[in-house]
Amino acid sequence: MIEPVTRAERVRKGSSQRRVQEKENLQQAIMDAAGELLLEQGYSGFSLRQVAERIGYSATTIYLYFKDKDELVFSLIDEAWDRFGRELEQAAASTTNPIEQLRAIGHAYFNFGLNNAVYYQLMFMQRSDFLFCPKPDEELPRIASFVVLTNAVQAGIEAGVLKPGDVQAYSLTAWSLVHGLVSLWISMPQLISESVVRGSIDTILDVAIGGLLQQQGSAIS
Amino acid sequence: MIEPVTRAERVRKGSSQRRVQEKENLQQAIMDAAGELLLEQGYSGFSLRQVAERIGYSATTIYLYFKDKDELVFSLIDEAWDRFGRELEQAAASTTNPIEQLRAIGHAYFNFGLNNAVYYQLMFMQRSDFLFCPKPDEELPRIASFVVLTNAVQAGIEAGVLKPGDVQAYSLTAWSLVHGLVSLWISMPQLISESVVRGSIDTILDVAIGGLLQQQGSAIS
Amino acid sequence: MIEPVTRAERVRKGSSQRRVQEKENLQQAIMDAAGELLLEQGYSGFSLRQVAERIGYSATTIYLYFKDKDELVFSLIDEAWDRFGRELEQAAASTTNPIEQLRAIGHAYFNFGLNNAVYYQLMFMQRSDFLFCPKPDEELPRIASFVVLTNAVQAGIEAGVLKPGDVQAYSLTAWSLVHGLVSLWISMPQLISESVVRGSIDTILDVAIGGLLQQQGSAIS
Amino acid sequence: MIEPVTRAERVRKGSSQRRVQEKENLQQAIMDAAGELLLEQGYSGFSLRQVAERIGYSATTIYLYFKDKDELVFSLIDEAWDRFGRELEQAAASTTNPIEQLRAIGHAYFNFGLNNAVYYQLMFMQRSDFLFCPKPDEELPRIASFVVLTNAVQAGIEAGVLKPGDVQAYSLTAWSLVHGLVSLWISMPQLISESVVRGSIDTILDVAIGGLLQQQGSAIS
DNA sequence: TATGAATGAGTATTCATTCAT
DNA sequence: AATGAATGAATACTCATTCAT
C-alpha cells in the first residue's frame, strides 16, 4: 500500500530513473566520443567542439558535464586508471612467487598498453602531469598504484631470487623496459606490427627479469 | 599591465638586434630560433609567428626557406638525426668488443636523449612519423641509422657472448629499455631527477646486457 | 590545478548549505546573493548563473522571481533607493535650520555613497537609466525623491540665508559636488583613500554651502 | 641629379609613402570606429568583432594594429588625454590672474567633458585604472597632468585671493565639483539637457570659487 | 515551486597561410 | 630576398534564456 500506486506516480518514478541513466549516458557518451576523437586526431587535434559535434549536442552542453577541457581529459585518464590499476592488482594477486608475479605484472602492463593505446598515451605520455595530482577526494595520486610493482620487486629481493639492490632502481628499470616497448609501438606502429610486439613480450620480460636474477637460467626455465 | 607593443613593433625590435649578425645564414637562424622556442614553449605552443618574431624577420620570410611548418620541423629533426647518428657511430667505432660496443651505444643514446630532450621528444615521441619518410633526395629513412645497433647485437651473437636468438628481437629489447628510461624522464621529470637518471644508466645497461649474456656476471665484471 | 567540480556539483554543494535557512524568502536570498556578487565581481562580471550557484538553486529558479536579469538589477536598485531615500529624509527632518539641513543632507548622501559603494555605483553610474523608469505600480520615478534637496534649498533662499537664485541650479550644484566626490572615490580608490574622503566631507560641504551663502563666514562658524 | 629620377623610383617612393599613410589611416579608422561603437553600445557592449565589422576588415586585422582589446582602449584614452591635457594647459596659459585661471580651467574641463562624453567616460569613469599606468616610454602617469589645477590653486593661495588651506584638498574639491556635473550629465542625459548644463557652468564655477575666496563677492564681480 | 537539459549567440585570441609588391 | 597586409578557420569558454517536466 505504501508503494507508489497511481500510474502517474509510477510514470514519474520511471522517468526520473531514465533521466539519471540518460544523464550518465550522455556523460559517458561524451567520454566515448572523446576517446574516439583522440584516437583519430591525436591529443593536439582534440577539441571540445568536435566532441560535441560527434555526439550531436551543442558545444555548450559538454560544460554541463565537465567543468572544462582538462576535466574531461582528467576523467578519461581516471577511468583508464581504474581499469589499469585493477588489472595490475589482479596480476599481482594471481601468484605468490615473486618472479611469476613480476612476469604477470609485466604482461598485464603490456596488455593494457596495447589494448588501450589512446589512454596509455594520455596517461603516460601526453598528460603525465595528471599522474601526480590526486583526485579531489583522495589522498594519493594515481602514480601511487605502482606500489604493486615495487612490492613485487621487494619480495623478490627478500626471497633471495633477485639480486640484492635498490628496490626503486630495480623497479624503475623494469618499468622503463615495459614502458619503452609499449611507447615505441604506440609512437611508431609502422615500425613493429602489433603481432610482433605481442610476440616480443615474453622475450623482453625474460631479458629484464633475467637481468635481475640471482641465478641465471631460472627465469627461462 | 599595459605594454602597448604591437607585434609589428616587437618584430622591429628583434630585427635591429639580430639582423646583421645572422643575415648570411637565415635558414640556420630560423632553425635555431625554432629550437629555442620548442625548448621554452613545447611542441604544442610552437608557432611560426613566434619564430619569426624572435629572429626579427617577418613571418612570411620563413616561407622562403621552408615550404610550411612541417618542413621546418622536419628540418629540425633531420639536423638532430645527423648529430644523433654521428654519436651512435662514434660509440660503435670506439671498440670492437661487442659487449663494450653495446654499452657504448647505450651510453651514447642516453646522453643524446638527456642532452637534447627537446629534439629527442620530437624525433621519437611527437613526430615519429618523420622517422619513416626519407628526405627528398635520399633513399633510406632516418630509422635506418639504427643499423649500428643491430650490427652490434649481431656481432655479439656471432661472437658467442650473447645468447643465440633473433637479432631484431634483441635489438628491439635493448632499444625499448633505453627509450623507456629516456622517455619516462622526459615525460615525467617530476618523477626522477636528471641526476638520478644519469646515475641509473649503468645499472640499467647492466641489467639489459646481463639479460642477454651467455654467461651471467661478465657484463658487470 | 584540477578541481573536478561540475557546475551541477557546485550548485548542489551550495544547496545543502543554504537551502534550509533561506527557503522562506527566496526572493530576498537572490537579491542578497546578487549584492554580494556585485561587490566581489563588479557589475560587468555579474551573472545570473553565479547568483544561482551561490544560493544553491538552479539558474532557472531565478526566473520564477524575476522576469530577467534587468528586473533583478532593478530590484536591487529599488531596494537601495528605499534605504537611500529614507536616510535623506531622516537627515532633512533632523533640523529646521535650512543651512543645517543642507549640511545634514550632504552628510547623509556621502555616508550612503561610501557605505554602499556597489549600490551607489549601480544607481547613479552604471544603471542610471532606471532612475527615470518608475516602478510598475507607482507614478513617480525614483529620482523624484530628490525633492528633499530642492526643498531645503528653496527654504534656504526663502529664509534669506542663501543667495537668491534658481532653485534647480543651486540644487544641481550641490548634488554635483557631493556626487563628484563620491564617484571620484568609487572610480579611483587608488587616488584617495576612504579615510581621506571621509575627512574631506566637511571641508567640501563648507565650500559648497559657503559658495551659496548670503553672508560669508556663517557656514563655518 | 641625386633626386630620385626614374619614374619607377618615384612611383616606389610614392607608394611607400601611401603605404605608411594608409597604415596610419587604418589604425585611425579602427580607433574612430571604436569610438563610434562606444558611443552607441557603451563600454560593456563593445567588442573587437564589431569594430572590425564596422570598418569592413576581419577581426584578425585589428590585432595587426593593436596587441589586444585593452591596448586599443588604452590608445583611445591616450589620444583623448593628449587633447584634454592640451586644452587644460591652454586654459591655464590664457591668464595670470589665479581666479581667472581657475575659472578658465574649469571651463576647459567642462567643455572637454561635454564635447567628448565617450572619452571622458572612458578616462574617468570606466577605465580610470589607466590613469595610473604610464605609457611605456614615459615616466608620469596621465593623472600627473592635473598639476595645472594644483598650480592654479597654489598660486591663488599664495596671492592671497583664496583662503589659506590645503592645496590638495582645495584641488580635490574643485575637481569633485566639475567632475560631478559632467558625470551626472553623462550618466543621466535625461536629467538635464546639454543646454542646461552648459548654462549652469558659470553658476557652478561661481559657487565653487566663491566658496574658496578670501573675500566674498570678488568672484562674481 | 523548482529544476535539469539544452542551446545559440557571443567573447577574445591565435595560427598557418597567401598574395601583391 | 623580403615584407606588410590581410584573412578564414579554429579554440576554449561564458552567458542569458527557454522548455518540458
Side-chain angles (χ1 to χ4, degrees):
Chain A
M1 294 300 183
I2 311 177
E3 299 274 322
V5 271
T6 353
R7 214 184 77 85
E9 277 166 348
R10 263 176 288 134
V11 167
R12 209 173 304 134
K13 196 184 165 197
S15 166
S16 75
Q17 281 176 342
R18 213 197 50 225
R19 266 275 187 68
V20 171
Q21 196 186 343
E22 264 169 12
K23 165 142 187 175
E24 269 164 17
N25 281 353
L26 189 43
Q27 178 145 3
Q28 193 58 52
I30 293 170
M31 291 175 71
D32 292 348
E36 283 175 35
L37 206 62
L38 279 165
L39 183 60
E40 294 166 24
Q41 316 263 21
Y43 182 64
S44 70
F46 161 77
S47 84
L48 292 189
R49 282 184 160 202
Q50 279 174 291
V51 171
E53 209 169 281
R54 189 169 288 242
I55 56 172
Y57 281 80
S58 82
T60 314
T61 299
I62 296 187
Y63 289 90
L64 296 177
Y65 297 88
F66 300 94
K67 186 172 133 264
D68 56 17
K69 196 185 182 185
D70 255 25
E71 195 188 287
L72 169 52
V73 174
F74 185 84
S75 296
L76 288 171
I77 289 182
D78 212 56
E79 201 187 41
W81 260 105
D82 279 342
R83 296 201 309 277
F84 182 58
R86 227 177 300 129
E87 291 175 22
L88 286 195
E89 278 162 28
Q90 280 174 6
S94 65
T95 170
T96 57
N97 176 330
I99 299 299
E100 299 283 307
Q101 225 178 22
L102 280 175
R103 192 182 300 275
I105 291 173
H107 263 112
Y109 189 106
F110 268 123
N111 288 333
F112 180 85
L114 298 188
N115 298 334
N116 304 273
V118 178
Y119 296 100
Y120 185 90
Q121 220 172 345
L122 226 41
M123 291 157 73
F124 294 114
M125 300 163 73
Q126 287 155 339
R127 293 307 305 262
S128 52
D129 51 320
F130 282 164
L131 276 181
F132 304 95
C133 67
K135 297 175 68 170
D137 301 354
E138 292 190 12
E139 267 183 62
L140 298 172
R142 284 307 199 164
I143 192 77
S145 305
F146 271 163
V147 73
V148 295
L149 174 60
T150 48
N151 282 349
V153 170
Q154 175 95 45
I157 294 177
E158 282 170 5
V161 288
L162 294 188
K163 285 187 281 199
D166 180 32
V167 174
Q168 294 303 323
Y170 279 8
S171 303
L172 183 58
T173 304
W175 187 18
S176 292
L177 195 108
V178 288
H179 172 71
L181 182 63
V182 172
S183 67
L184 275 186
W185 174 70
I186 287 178
S187 294
M188 318 173 205
Q190 313 98 310
L191 184 72
I192 18 173
S193 72
E194 190 183 335
S195 62
V196 168
V197 172
R198 289 196 187 273
S200 312
I201 294 180
D202 279 305
T203 316
I204 282 179
L205 287 176
D206 281 347
V207 169
I209 296 175
L212 295 170
L213 281 182
Q214 189 74 289
Q215 302 278 335
Q216 195 177 25
S218 46
I220 303 174
S221 69
Chain B
M1 174 192 187
I2 296 290
E3 259 206 62
V5 262
T6 319
R7 220 185 68 82
E9 279 164 356
R10 268 177 283 139
V11 167
R12 219 169 295 136
K13 194 179 165 202
S15 179
S16 60
Q17 291 175 336
R18 304 220 174 200
R19 201 121 185 203
V20 180
Q21 67 208 51
E22 280 161 356
K23 187 146 198 171
E24 44 190 29
N25 197 351
L26 192 42
Q27 176 143 5
Q28 191 57 48
I30 292 170
M31 292 174 69
D32 291 348
E36 283 177 34
L37 205 61
L38 277 167
L39 184 59
E40 293 166 24
Q41 314 264 21
Y43 182 61
S44 69
F46 159 77
S47 86
L48 291 189
R49 303 181 73 173
Q50 280 173 300
V51 171
E53 204 170 287
R54 191 169 284 243
I55 57 172
Y57 281 79
S58 84
T60 318
T61 301
I62 297 185
Y63 287 88
L64 299 174
Y65 295 88
F66 301 94
K67 185 175 133 268
D68 54 18
K69 197 186 182 185
D70 255 26
E71 200 177 279
L72 169 54
V73 174
F74 184 86
S75 297
L76 287 171
I77 290 183
D78 213 59
E79 200 187 44
W81 261 105
D82 279 343
R83 296 203 310 278
F84 181 57
R86 225 177 300 128
E87 290 174 23
L88 286 195
E89 277 162 26
Q90 280 174 8
S94 67
T95 169
T96 56
N97 176 331
I99 298 299
E100 298 282 307
Q101 223 177 22
L102 280 175
R103 193 182 297 277
I105 290 173
H107 262 114
Y109 189 105
F110 268 122
N111 287 334
F112 180 86
L114 298 187
N115 298 335
N116 303 274
V118 177
Y119 293 101
Y120 186 89
Q121 219 174 347
L122 226 43
M123 292 158 72
F124 294 116
M125 300 164 74
Q126 288 158 336
R127 295 308 304 263
S128 52
D129 51 319
F130 282 163
L131 276 181
F132 304 94
C133 65
K135 299 175 68 171
D137 45 353
E138 289 190 16
E139 265 182 65
L140 296 172
R142 281 309 200 165
I143 193 74
S145 306
F146 268 161
V147 72
V148 294
L149 174 61
T150 48
N151 282 351
V153 171
Q154 174 96 46
I157 293 176
E158 282 170 5
V161 288
L162 295 187
K163 283 186 284 198
D166 179 33
V167 174
Q168 295 302 324
Y170 278 9
S171 303
L172 183 59
T173 303
W175 188 16
S176 291
L177 194 107
V178 289
H179 171 71
L181 183 63
V182 172
S183 66
L184 275 187
W185 174 71
I186 287 178
S187 294
M188 317 174 205
Q190 314 100 306
L191 185 71
I192 18 173
S193 72
E194 189 182 338
S195 62
V196 168
V197 172
R198 290 196 186 273
S200 311
I201 294 179
D202 279 305
T203 316
I204 282 178
L205 288 177
D206 281 346
V207 170
I209 296 174
L212 294 169
L213 281 182
Q214 190 72 293
Q215 302 278 336
Q216 194 178 24
S218 46
I220 302 171
S221 69
Chain C
M1 173 192 187
I2 297 290
E3 259 205 61
V5 262
T6 322
R7 215 184 70 81
E9 279 165 353
R10 267 176 284 137
V11 168
R12 220 168 295 137
K13 195 180 165 202
S15 181
S16 62
Q17 290 176 338
R18 303 218 175 203
R19 204 125 184 201
V20 180
Q21 68 206 52
E22 281 161 354
K23 189 148 198 171
E24 42 189 30
N25 197 349
L26 193 43
Q27 177 145 4
Q28 191 57 48
I30 292 170
M31 291 175 68
D32 292 347
E36 283 177 33
L37 205 62
L38 277 167
L39 185 59
E40 293 167 23
Q41 314 263 20
Y43 182 62
S44 70
F46 160 77
S47 86
L48 291 190
R49 305 181 71 171
Q50 280 174 300
V51 171
E53 204 170 287
R54 190 168 284 242
I55 56 171
Y57 281 79
S58 83
T60 319
T61 300
I62 297 184
Y63 287 88
L64 297 175
Y65 296 88
F66 301 94
K67 187 176 130 264
D68 55 17
K69 197 186 183 186
D70 255 25
E71 200 178 278
L72 169 53
V73 173
F74 184 84
S75 298
L76 287 170
I77 289 183
D78 213 59
E79 201 187 42
W81 260 103
D82 278 343
R83 296 203 310 277
F84 181 58
R86 227 176 301 130
E87 291 175 22
L88 286 197
E89 279 162 27
Q90 279 173 7
S94 67
T95 170
T96 55
N97 176 330
I99 298 299
E100 297 284 306
Q101 223 177 22
L102 280 176
R103 192 182 298 276
I105 292 174
H107 262 113
Y109 190 105
F110 268 123
N111 287 333
F112 180 86
L114 297 187
N115 298 334
N116 304 273
V118 177
Y119 293 100
Y120 186 90
Q121 219 174 348
L122 224 45
M123 291 158 72
F124 294 115
M125 300 163 76
Q126 288 157 337
R127 296 306 306 263
S128 52
D129 50 320
F130 284 162
L131 277 180
F132 305 94
C133 62
K135 297 176 70 171
D137 46 353
E138 291 189 14
E139 266 182 64
L140 297 172
R142 282 309 199 166
I143 193 75
S145 306
F146 269 161
V147 72
V148 295
L149 175 59
T150 48
N151 283 348
V153 171
Q154 174 97 45
I157 294 178
E158 283 170 5
V161 287
L162 294 188
K163 284 185 283 196
D166 180 32
V167 175
Q168 294 302 323
Y170 277 9
S171 303
L172 183 59
T173 303
W175 187 16
S176 292
L177 195 108
V178 289
H179 171 71
L181 183 63
V182 173
S183 67
L184 274 186
W185 173 70
I186 287 179
S187 295
M188 319 175 203
Q190 315 98 307
L191 186 72
I192 19 173
S193 72
E194 189 184 336
S195 63
V196 168
V197 172
R198 288 195 188 273
S200 312
I201 295 179
D202 279 305
T203 318
I204 283 179
L205 288 176
D206 281 346
V207 170
I209 296 174
L212 295 168
L213 281 182
Q214 189 73 288
Q215 301 279 336
Q216 193 176 25
S218 46
I220 303 174
S221 71
Chain D
M1 295 298 184
I2 311 179
E3 300 273 322
V5 272
T6 352
R7 214 182 77 84
E9 276 166 349
R10 264 175 290 134
V11 167
R12 208 174 305 134
K13 195 183 166 198
S15 167
S16 74
Q17 280 175 342
R18 212 197 49 227
R19 267 274 188 67
V20 170
Q21 196 185 345
E22 265 169 11
K23 166 144 188 173
E24 269 164 18
N25 282 353
L26 189 43
Q27 178 144 4
Q28 194 57 52
I30 292 170
M31 292 174 70
D32 292 347
E36 283 176 35
L37 207 61
L38 279 165
L39 183 60
E40 294 167 23
Q41 315 263 21
Y43 182 65
S44 70
F46 161 77
S47 84
L48 292 189
R49 283 183 160 200
Q50 279 173 293
V51 171
E53 207 168 282
R54 190 169 286 243
I55 56 172
Y57 282 80
S58 81
T60 313
T61 299
I62 295 185
Y63 288 88
L64 297 177
Y65 296 88
F66 300 94
K67 182 172 136 267
D68 55 19
K69 196 185 182 185
D70 254 25
E71 194 186 289
L72 169 52
V73 173
F74 185 85
S75 296
L76 288 171
I77 289 183
D78 212 58
E79 201 187 43
W81 262 105
D82 278 342
R83 296 202 308 277
F84 181 59
R86 225 176 302 127
E87 291 175 21
L88 286 196
E89 278 162 27
Q90 280 172 8
S94 67
T95 170
T96 56
N97 176 330
I99 298 299
E100 298 281 308
Q101 224 177 23
L102 279 174
R103 192 182 299 274
I105 292 174
H107 262 113
Y109 189 105
F110 269 122
N111 287 333
F112 180 86
L114 298 187
N115 299 334
N116 304 273
V118 177
Y119 296 101
Y120 186 89
Q121 221 173 344
L122 228 42
M123 291 158 73
F124 294 115
M125 300 164 75
Q126 288 156 337
R127 294 307 305 264
S128 53
D129 52 319
F130 282 163
L131 275 181
F132 304 95
C133 68
K135 299 176 67 169
D137 303 354
E138 292 190 13
E139 268 182 62
L140 297 172
R142 283 310 201 162
I143 192 76
S145 305
F146 270 162
V147 71
V148 293
L149 175 60
T150 49
N151 283 349
V153 171
Q154 174 95 48
I157 293 177
E158 282 171 5
V161 287
L162 295 188
K163 283 188 281 199
D166 180 33
V167 174
Q168 294 302 325
Y170 278 10
S171 303
L172 183 60
T173 303
W175 188 17
S176 292
L177 194 108
V178 289
H179 171 72
L181 182 63
V182 172
S183 65
L184 275 186
W185 174 71
I186 288 178
S187 294
M188 318 173 206
Q190 312 99 308
L191 185 71
I192 18 173
S193 72
E194 189 181 337
S195 63
V196 167
V197 172
R198 289 196 186 274
S200 312
I201 294 180
D202 279 305
T203 316
I204 283 179
L205 288 176
D206 281 346
V207 171
I209 296 174
L212 295 169
L213 280 183
Q214 191 72 292
Q215 301 279 335
Q216 194 176 27
S218 46
I220 303 173
S221 69

